[in-house]
Amino acid sequence: MPKKSRENGLWKAAKKARKFAHAPFSNFKVGAALETDDGEFIGGCNVENATYGLTICAERVAIFKAVSEGKQKFKRVCIVTDTDGPTSPCGACRQLLWEFCGNIEVLMGNRDGILVRTTMGELFPMPFDKKDL
Ligand code: THU
């Protein structure tokens, strides 16, 4: 499959996951999707909690879903929100994305399509990871 249609499939998977976002406190719904090395798309949405602090972001839900299904090799991640500009992964998600995905491509989009293409290396320079232990 050409790269543009894989990107489009990943964006669609993130947009679809966003529909299930549980965000009654912030009303900020986020969808994320990971592309595995064998071309599967695994989506996640943010799941908020009344304690606020127990809220989990869409990116981490997607990672934990994938890992719990035995998938640990990823090519790309896409984050989708209903905003005019891109939504960048938070610091906690960057740590987790680095841990499980390394220097993968990161796409950020909205309802209209992909707005930003970058990499984890750009978003998360000088990470702390297993090489430091
Ligand atoms: N959120 C995500 O799910 N991913 C991001 O990249 C940014 C923030 C969620 C967490 C919370 O439910 C809401 O967006 C507002 O911060």
Side-chain angles (χ1 to χ4, degrees):
M1 207 198 291
K3 190 173 172 192
K4 283 279 171 210
S5 33
R6 279 200 314 273
E7 280 189 356
N8 196 48
L10 189 64
W11 167 72
K12 278 189 180 159
K15 212 161 68 129
K16 187 174 168 197
R18 185 180 169 275
K19 290 192 183 148
F20 301 112
H22 177 75
F25 306 108
S26 73
N27 286 315
F28 191 74
K29 296 184 172 192
V30 185
L34 284 164
E35 182 181 350
T36 65
D37 64 339
D38 51 6
E40 200 182 326
F41 301 136
I42 300 179
C45 60
N46 53 332
V47 182
E48 296 188 346
N49 184 269
T51 62
Y52 293 16
L54 291 179
T55 290
I56 180 158
C57 295
E59 296 90 326
R60 274 176 285 161
V61 170
I63 294 171
F64 295 150
K65 267 178 72 182
V67 171
S68 68
E69 290 170 15
K71 317 269 160 57
Q72 288 214 21
K73 288 195 177 128
F74 308 105
K75 281 198 267 202
R76 196 167 291 116
V77 63
C78 181
I79 299 130
V80 168
T81 46
D82 189 18
T83 47
D84 291 338
T87 295
S88 202
C90 79
C93 289
R94 290 179 197 206
Q95 180 70 38
L96 267 285
L97 283 164
W98 182 264
E99 179 102 6
F100 285 104
C101 309
N103 191 19
I104 59 166
E105 274 186 85
V106 181
L107 313 176
M108 300 171 203
N110 64 7
R111 63 219 162 246
D112 303 321
I114 294 163
L115 302 168
V116 168
R117 290 177 178 78
T118 184
T119 61
M120 277 309 298
E122 284 288 318
L123 291 177
F124 202 51
M126 288 186 71
F128 173 82
D129 61 23
K130 58 181 181 282
K131 75 177 176 341
D132 300 301
L133 295 173

